């Protein structure tokens, strides 16, 4: 994600400068960012998908990726006809940059929470589940076969 911001910035700059060199460099940087992101997400999808449904999950992921790549192109073309190519390109670059920043912030918050949960799991159990659910979890663990005091073996 971090490479996507400079890549989009270079693409917008190439439009403003009418520079083929900046366009090529921006395309390479943004392309590497998208390729690495796609590879990492496909790996995550494969790891998370149940074995018996992996083909369905990966197919759905690929359809979403295809739509995410193709629909904005159509949108920029339509917008270009309405507001001009430069305006449509600038708007698209701003939207992609804003979504990239939002995704980076989301990932940083997610990682911070994950590390906090790993350091203090007892605090997060009651926050995430609520006191009633945490109590029910403790009761069900105590009632599990072989648990001390459960009477079951």
């Amino acid at each position: 994600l971090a490479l996507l911001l400079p890549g989009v910035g270079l693409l917008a700059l190439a439009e403003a400068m009418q520079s083929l060199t900046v366009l090529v460099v921006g395309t390479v940087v943004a392309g590497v960012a998208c390729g690495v992101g796609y590879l990492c997400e496909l790996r995550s999808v494969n790891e998370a998908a149940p074995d018996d449904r992996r083909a369905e999950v990966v197919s759905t992921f690929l359809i979403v990726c295809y739509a995410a790549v193709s629909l904005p192109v159509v949108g920029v073309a339509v917008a270009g006809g309405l507001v001009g190519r430069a305006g449509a390109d600038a708007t698209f670059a701003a939207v992609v940059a804003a979504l990239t920043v939002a995704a980076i912030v989301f990932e940083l918050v997610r990682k911070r929470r994950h590390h906090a949960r790993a350091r203090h799991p007892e605090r997060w159990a009651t926050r995430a589940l609520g006191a009633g659910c945490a109590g029910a979890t403790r009761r069900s663990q105590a009632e599990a076969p072989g648990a001390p005091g459960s009477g079951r073996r």
Side-chain angles (χ1 to χ4, degrees), residues 15 44 64 85 91:
E15 173 77 26
S44 296
V64 169
R85 192 184 77 207
T91 301

Side-chain angles (χ1 to χ4, degrees), residues 1 40-41 44-45 47-48 101-119 124:
L1 279 176
C40 293
E41 291 309 314
S44 296
V45 166
E47 288 173 1
V101 169
I104 289 170
V105 169
F106 177 80
E107 184 64 16
L108 291 174
V109 168
R110 188 189 67 77
K111 282 185 179 181
R112 187 173 185 185
R113 285 184 179 164
H114 176 75
H115 292 303
R117 287 178 181 157
R119 283 190 304 251
W124 287 93

Side-chain angles (χ1 to χ4, degrees), residues 10-69:
L10 287 169
L11 291 172
L13 182 64
E15 173 77 26
M17 293 175 54
Q18 296 292 303
S19 169
L20 181 61
T21 305
V22 176
L23 176 67
V24 169
V25 171
T27 301
V28 168
V29 172
V32 167
C34 289
V36 169
Y38 173 78
L39 176 68
C40 293
E41 291 309 314
L42 183 58
R43 185 181 322 139
S44 296
V45 166
N46 268 313
E47 288 173 1
D51 289 340
D52 61 329
R53 302 199 63 197
R54 182 164 288 127
E56 295 170 50
V57 172
V58 171
S59 296
T60 302
F61 172 76
L62 293 174
I63 290 169
V64 169
C65 286
Y66 180 75
V69 169

